Amino acid sequence: MWRIITNALTSNNSTFAPNSLLTPAPSAGSHEERDPLTAEKHGATGKDSLLVVSPYTSPPHLLDLAGLNPSQVYLAKALSTLAPVTHAYATISYTKAFNWAAVFTGLATAVKDDAFKWTEQFFYIVVFRSQIPPTTDRRHLEELDMRAHAEAMKSGGLFKYWFGIADADGRNLATCIWRRREDAHPGSSGEGHKAAMRATINMYSEWHIERFKLVIGDNVEQWVLSPWAD
């Protein structure tokens, strides 16, 4: 179900704000040419405990499954299939922008096949919507984003990071799926994230944050995405 790549990581294949993402980076360089709707899904690396959970595939950006409990491993692997279902993902409802049903069907199938007992639990999601002017240096944004993402992976608790391509109006979406809200704060407090925060002043026309609670019921028989309430 999940893609395996070599130890040399030869495969191909966003955030900012309090308690949130890493840096709100639109793609640049090699990512600028990829189509988020048709790009290869993320997945496992040749080292069994490491999983590709973002567009970045070098070692500092990989999720070490060895540090997770079994439920978290199942979810992280299922989220490797997360993908947008429309090119309008930057502007439509977050709940309608991705293949959530397919992700949780895959999760349900995996736990059933392994006779694993999944009990109800919830997770923390942050969405960053942004608009950039044509003058923005997108390569610099990607550099900031990569640094912040590596910091977040090191701090732990980030199961999935996805960002799209800015549309014709410069609008984009990035999202992080965290183990819990408490993981998001240290994950976004490093120097790389702070540099990205400073960059938003001049690099973005506008931006805003959305937060969601993802509840996955017993045996993955139901799942609910709802706005986060403090």
Side-chain angles (χ1 to χ4, degrees):
M1 182 182 297
W2 297 296
R3 179 171 59 87
I4 303 296
I5 63 178
T6 69
N7 282 324
L9 299 176
T10 56
S11 74
N12 296 320
N13 260 84
S14 299
T15 68
F16 164 80
N19 300 322
S20 65
L21 306 171
L22 313 173
T23 72
S27 305
S30 61
H31 297 304
E32 196 62 49
E33 288 79 35
R34 93 190 198 287
D35 182 343
L37 270 67
T38 59
E40 184 179 2
K41 304 299 187 295
H42 306 153
T45 70
K47 185 174 181 180
D48 292 343
S49 68
L50 298 180
L51 189 73
V52 178
V53 294
S54 78
Y56 307 125
T57 60
S58 60
H61 301 282
L62 304 179
L63 176 63
D64 190 350
L65 301 178
L68 306 181
N69 67 36
S71 293
Q72 294 165 357
V73 171
Y74 278 107
L75 177 60
K77 289 183 175 181
L79 288 171
S80 70
T81 66
L82 183 71
V85 295
T86 171
H87 285 290
Y89 51 79
T91 56
I92 68 170
S93 166
Y94 182 70
T95 59
K96 297 180 180 179
F98 294 92
N99 61 334
W100 296 110
V103 169
F104 295 118
T105 295
L107 175 59
T109 299
V111 299
K112 181 179 180 180
D113 288 349
D114 292 347
F116 177 79
K117 183 174 177 57
W118 176 283
T119 57
E120 180 174 296
Q121 50 200 293
F122 70 89
F123 304 89
Y124 181 64
I125 297 179
V126 182
V127 182
F128 182 91
R129 296 185 189 270
S130 62
Q131 184 176 26
I132 56 173
T135 55
T136 293
D137 183 346
R138 301 188 183 193
R139 187 168 297 279
H140 180 52
L141 280 183
E142 183 177 39
E143 292 170 353
L144 293 171
D145 188 63
M146 290 181 68
R147 180 182 175 191
H149 181 261
E151 289 177 348
M153 296 308 297
K154 184 176 181 180
S155 71
L158 180 59
F159 292 158
K160 181 67 177 180
Y161 175 48
W162 184 93
F163 61 82
I165 303 292
D167 65 17
D169 295 321
R171 297 189 180 279
N172 202 358
L173 178 147
T175 186
C176 284
I177 301 176
W178 296 90
R179 175 173 49 195
R180 52 181 177 262
R181 183 182 179 186
E182 291 76 12
D183 292 317
H185 179 67
S188 60
S189 60
E191 289 303 315
H193 185 265
K194 292 176 181 177
M197 291 171 63
R198 293 191 293 269
T200 59
I201 297 174
N202 298 317
M203 290 187 164
Y204 287 84
S205 301
E206 62 178 69
W207 58 269
H208 71 273
I209 296 294
E210 299 169 6
R211 299 182 300 159
F212 291 87
K213 182 178 184 179
L214 168 62
V215 179
I216 306 175
D218 291 344
N219 301 315
V220 200
E221 292 178 351
Q222 62 178 356
W223 55 274
V224 178
L225 263 175
S226 59
W228 182 272
D230 291 318

